[in-house]
Amino acid sequence: MSSRLEETDVLVIGGGLAGERCAMEAAAAGHRAMILSLVPPRRSHSCAAQGGMQAALGNCVKAEGDGPDWHFLDTVRGSDWGADQEVATIFAEEAPIAVRELAHYGVPWTRVRGGKNKYFIKGQEVEIDEPLENDGLITHRDFGGTAKWRACYAAAGTGHAALYAVDSEVVRLGITVRDRTEAVSLIHDGTRCTGAIVRDLRDGSYFAVMARATVIATGGYGRIYGQYTSNAVINEGTGASIALDTGIVPLGNMEAVQFHPTTLSPSGILVTEGCRGDGGYLLDKNMNRFMVEAEPEKQELASRDVVSRHMAQCMRDGNGVDSPYGPHLWLDIRHLGEEHLRTKLLEVWDICRDFVGRNPAKDLIPVRPTQHYSMGGVRVNKDGQAYGLLGLYAVGEAACWDMHGFNRLGGNSLAETLVSGRLIGARVAEYAPGVSLRSDTGIAFDALEAAEQKARSWLARSGNGPSIYEIRDAMGETMMHKVGIFRTGTELAEAVLELGQLLDDCDNAVLRCKDPGVNPELAFALRLKGMLRLAMTVAKGAAARTESRGAHYRTDFPLRNDRDWMNRTLVRWGAEESEPTFSYEPTGIVDLPPGHRGYGSDERIEMTEPLEAYNETVHAEQSRHGRLETVEAMGSRLRRGAWQSVSR
Ligand SMILES: Cc1cc2nc3c(=O)[nH]c(=O)nc-3n(C[C@H](O)[C@H](O)[C@H](O)COP(=O)(O)OP(=O)(O)OC[C@H]3O[C@@H](n4cnc5c(N)ncnc54)[C@H](O)[C@@H]3O)c2cc1C
């Protein structure tokens, strides 16, 4: 093969927890695996995860009786009945394996201390006797939207510990890692994906990687919200974008965007939910605990969508604390004490000191909600296979698998990366050996030439066109202020117009730096249109969904509408097409019937179609929308009615 054409068995685009865990499975099965990453894998965004990873081990007193059925129930309720319930079942059953596996790789999980322990629950100090026989077991902290304490944690550096441990396994297995590379398009013939075109960020050169199976594991796309996100600057959604470009693979539920209640004001750096889980609370400018009144049962530990909305409303009502950067609220963790903060919440201690110059044992922390997580992504079946294109898989935050529906519960993402990485990695390993790449080099060279041409045409533009950074900033403002926590039809329509204008501007933008090699401006320009197209799918999807569900909240349609919207949005938009095409598939087989989440509003429009009739349509309808057949039959992993043994 030419030096511009490389070959591997399994190409994994993304070196975060999901991608690395997936690659490990392929390598362990004897395949050649190659990981691409924008940055050295240990700098992937997974490293920033702080508070914990959900797994129903039931090891401490407040977790007693926990198990996968509880975890399933909480996850589906958290998703506001947007999740695929079979995927949620698989996830809840396998999460304990993932946590124990990480312990085996060396993650220093915080452990149960037998004997008397001091905790804070709903603002009150309580003493709990942890049984001595549990001493040394992996312990749990409380997180939002769960019935039991379930989040396993390594202080407030859970993602850091997990990613370093998993990356060490990648090194041990001898997996090829090509860092500082970027997949810029997929190689496919309309029915089968055979790799990706890659840009080397060190020198701007391009090469093709032909692969029997290709996995998108590129994380979320929070940066379409500009500065209003807790996500790293590398979370620009390029994986979702190159899948969308095919025009074949749909993205699922793009309008489902999570806002995290507590990010530091003004920087947007996350302050983990573990703070509230460990007993911290929110205060308005009058030092009033507004969440007690708003959600008497769960208080600060309702799900993120609910808490973020109450916070935003509190500030709209004029009860935010004024600052030169706009209003914020306070997070109070002073009562937890310095010892607790410098051990179990060490990273929060450091962040407060370094980014706002505050000591959280003495000072209040200024916080406000910010974009945090992308529930939407590349739509895949339960084996992780993308709809419509053989050989293409997606995993982790980049995928819409879909266990989060319209709201992800805190701690469920780290667990998803490892559970789905392992399971989908195994499916990829089964699929890859049956594929021959011999006849496909022509399409690879065509795709290579198209990618190079795109870069040349950016460099060839001249004149005084708009700057790509102004377009990026304008996109962020539109997304936060018109496609944010509260949405209305009028503002969403404005957002669509503004994003359309920015797409036009992007076609006329001119680079200030014309260097074809190491040129960050060119690298970003090559991503910008894809980001705008993703933003457009979010805005249009939100405008079309005339109901409120989870994090998608329409003030003009405030009720969840199970009669008309028990479905998942799919959007396709080929690179050469002027408009996206939307369609809707059933959410999946529904075992837990739609009901009240246990927090937030109990008002909704009830489903009128009998569940049995709905469920009978799922297989055929999803197939019609591009779902590929799975190795095990649809519904085979559901444990029908098992939730009844734990449901309150
Ligand atoms: C601040 C913060 C704290 C969080 N805390 C928690 C928590 O406590 N618990 C929890 O469950 N979840 C948490 N989350 C969410 C969770 O961390 C992420 O959802 C998860 O780690 C995503 O993992 P991933 O492997 O899918 O993607 P990432 O870790 O984001 O990795 C993406 C990878 O893709 C690469 N990449 C991207 N585009 C390309 C491309 N085009 N070509 C090549 N490579 C590419 C990147 O270099 C990177 O290696 C947190 C998120 C944030 C932002």
Side-chain angles (χ1 to χ4, degrees):
M1 285 211 172
S2 119
S3 63
R4 304 183 67 220
L5 203 61
E6 300 190 15
E7 196 196 298
T8 187
D9 297 327
V10 175
L11 175 66
V12 180
I13 307 171
L17 277 171
E20 290 214 316
R21 186 62 193 85
C22 187
M24 280 167 60
E25 211 59 27
H31 302 307
R32 291 170 302 162
M34 181 192 289
I35 295 174
L36 306 176
S37 176
L38 301 175
V39 291
R42 291 181 187 211
R43 294 190 170 208
S44 300
H45 200 60
S46 294
C47 193
Q50 298 173 10
M53 167 169 165
Q54 301 281 2
L57 303 178
N59 284 342
C60 65
V61 167
K62 294 297 288 180
E64 270 171 13
D66 201 10
D69 294 333
W70 275 116
H71 197 176
F72 163 83
L73 204 62
D74 289 340
T75 300
V76 175
R77 285 177 171 158
S79 78
D80 222 357
W81 273 266
D84 179 310
Q85 297 194 10
E86 185 181 15
V87 171
T89 308
I90 299 170
F91 163 74
E93 280 184 351
E94 308 259 342
I97 300 172
V99 164
R100 294 197 170 103
E101 196 177 61
L102 284 183
H104 176 67
Y105 298 153
V107 168
W109 292 116
T110 301
R111 304 277 168 165
V112 175
R113 261 190 5 207
K116 292 197 187 321
N117 283 258
K118 190 177 85 172
Y119 299 111
F120 279 89
I121 301 174
K122 293 187 180 172
Q124 303 297 318
E125 187 175 328
V126 292
E127 196 174 73
I128 294 179
D129 229 344
E130 297 290 353
L132 290 177
E133 63 266 27
N134 288 353
D135 189 80
L137 296 180
I138 295 168
T139 195
H140 307 276
R141 62 166 34 127
D142 203 2
F143 251 49
T146 62
K148 307 275 182 186
W149 290 17
R150 189 178 298 133
C152 308
Y153 61 102
T158 313
H160 182 123
L163 187 59
Y164 273 57
V166 168
D167 191 53
S168 297
E169 290 300 302
V170 165
V171 173
R172 189 179 64 76
L173 288 164
I175 295 171
T176 304
V177 176
R178 305 284 300 267
D179 64 18
R180 299 185 183 88
T181 58
E182 176 173 352
V184 294
S185 63
L186 294 170
I187 304 168
H188 70 93
D189 62 5
T191 55
R192 199 158 65 95
C193 176
T194 46
I197 303 301
V198 184
R199 186 164 189 268
D200 187 331
L201 298 171
R202 287 184 176 91
D203 61 10
S205 65
Y206 287 82
F207 58 98
V209 182
M210 304 281 303
R212 291 173 168 75
T214 304
V215 184
I216 294 178
T218 49
Y221 41 86
R223 282 282 153 181
I224 64 173
Y225 280 79
Q227 60 167 311
Y228 304 101
T229 178
S230 64
N231 287 192
V233 289
I234 55 170
N235 286 18
E236 291 168 325
T238 44
S241 177
I242 59 179
L244 188 67
D245 281 350
T246 64
I248 301 162
V249 177
L251 304 183
N253 279 351
M254 291 297 282
E255 66 272 32
V257 176
Q258 178 165 86
F259 294 81
H260 193 291
T262 57
T263 66
L264 213 52
S265 174
S267 64
I269 295 171
L270 189 90
V271 182
T272 174
E273 187 162 307
C275 291
R276 284 172 288 133
D278 288 4
Y281 37 76
L282 296 164
L283 299 169
D284 66 14
K285 71 174 182 189
N286 304 312
M287 299 296 129
N288 174 35
R289 270 191 73 192
F290 56 95
M291 283 306 299
V292 175
E293 199 180 321
E295 291 290 330
E297 174 57 29
K298 296 295 283 183
Q299 303 182 358
E300 278 84 357
L301 290 174
S303 61
R304 290 174 176 177
D305 57 321
V306 171
V307 179
S308 291
R309 274 197 293 280
H310 285 305
M311 291 174 76
Q313 191 59 51
C314 181
M315 291 188 280
R316 281 185 169 195
D317 293 343
N319 290 320
V321 182
D322 287 331
S323 87
Y325 313 101
H328 65 74
L329 295 161
W330 297 118
L331 173 65
D332 191 353
I333 54 173
R334 294 172 297 182
H335 50 289
L336 303 186
E338 185 165 335
E339 192 200 331
H340 185 106
L341 299 180
R342 297 192 77 157
T343 51
K344 294 186 176 170
L345 291 168
L346 175 63
E347 287 72 9
V348 174
W349 176 277
D350 290 344
I351 287 169
C352 290
R353 181 195 57 206
D354 296 345
F355 293 95
V356 277
R358 283 172 184 256
N359 172 349
K362 293 191 178 133
D363 304 320
L364 296 170
I365 308 170
V367 292
R368 64 180 172 208
T370 291
Q371 192 285 341
H372 178 64
Y373 185 82
S374 313
M375 270 83 71
V378 180
R379 179 67 186 130
V380 297
N381 65 15
K382 71 172 169 179
D383 291 345
Q385 278 185 306
Y387 277 28
L389 210 48
L390 279 167
L392 183 66
Y393 294 76
V395 67
E397 192 173 340
C400 179
W401 191 26
D402 164 14
M403 49 164 283
H404 305 302
F406 279 76
N407 174 69
R408 165 176 81 88
L409 290 186
N412 262 359
S413 175
L414 282 184
E416 179 194 11
T417 60
L418 293 149
V419 168
S420 64
R422 186 168 68 88
L423 294 180
I424 292 168
R427 292 291 180 226
V428 169
E430 284 163 17
Y431 169 86
V435 179
S436 158
L437 295 174
R438 232 166 285 147
S439 58
D440 293 331
T441 51
I443 50 170
F445 279 116
D446 289 348
L448 194 53
E449 168 54 25
E452 286 173 332
Q453 178 51 35
K454 206 187 249 183
R456 282 195 296 270
S457 70
W458 266 105
L459 294 170
R461 290 187 203 172
S462 58
N464 284 323
S467 131
I468 54 166
Y469 298 117
E470 285 166 8
I471 297 173
R472 173 198 64 187
D473 293 347
M475 170 177 64
E477 295 299 319
T478 295
M479 292 304 287
M480 186 62 202
H481 299 300
K482 297 187 174 164
V483 200
I485 296 173
F486 294 117
R487 299 166 174 183
T488 67
T490 310
E491 285 180 346
L492 290 167
E494 286 169 15
V496 167
L497 282 179
E498 287 170 20
L499 292 169
Q501 180 59 53
L502 292 174
L503 273 164
D504 290 346
D505 291 349
C506 186
D507 287 336
N508 298 315
V510 174
L511 301 184
R512 275 40 176 180
C513 174
K514 307 287 187 191
D515 194 320
V518 184
N519 179 349
E521 192 186 15
L522 173 61
F524 184 69
L526 291 167
R527 295 172 200 145
L528 181 59
K529 191 160 187 179
M531 292 174 76
L532 285 162
R533 281 160 48 87
L534 293 184
M536 186 65 107
T537 64
V538 176
K540 284 201 163 187
R545 185 170 281 270
T546 49
E547 65 151 358
S548 291
R549 188 178 293 271
H552 168 67
Y553 192 83
R554 293 279 303 256
T555 50
D556 45 357
F557 294 94
L559 300 188
R560 193 178 90 202
N561 181 345
D562 296 329
R563 186 190 61 205
D564 305 319
W565 289 100
M566 272 295 286
N567 57 28
R568 180 177 300 105
T569 308
L570 298 177
V571 56
R572 291 180 168 85
W573 195 0
E576 304 307 325
E577 292 162 6
S578 58
E579 290 290 330
T581 307
F582 286 85
S583 60
Y584 297 88
E585 66 168 9
T587 303
I589 296 177
V590 177
D591 185 36
L592 179 71
H596 179 40
R597 303 167 83 189
Y599 40 80
S601 168
D602 189 17
E603 275 188 87
R604 61 186 173 277
I605 299 170
E606 304 275 354
M607 202 170 175
T608 48
E609 187 179 4
L611 263 192
E612 273 173 26
Y614 178 91
N615 284 341
E616 271 171 22
T617 66
V618 175
H619 185 276
E621 273 297 292
Q622 290 195 346
S623 302
R624 192 170 70 78
H625 283 89
R627 185 184 59 85
L628 303 178
E629 279 311 317
T630 47
V631 173
E632 292 171 1
M634 174 180 271
S636 57
R637 291 285 303 264
L638 266 175
R639 297 174 57 244
R640 289 171 204 263
W643 50 268
Q644 285 171 7
S645 63
V646 297
S647 177
R648 287 154 294 172

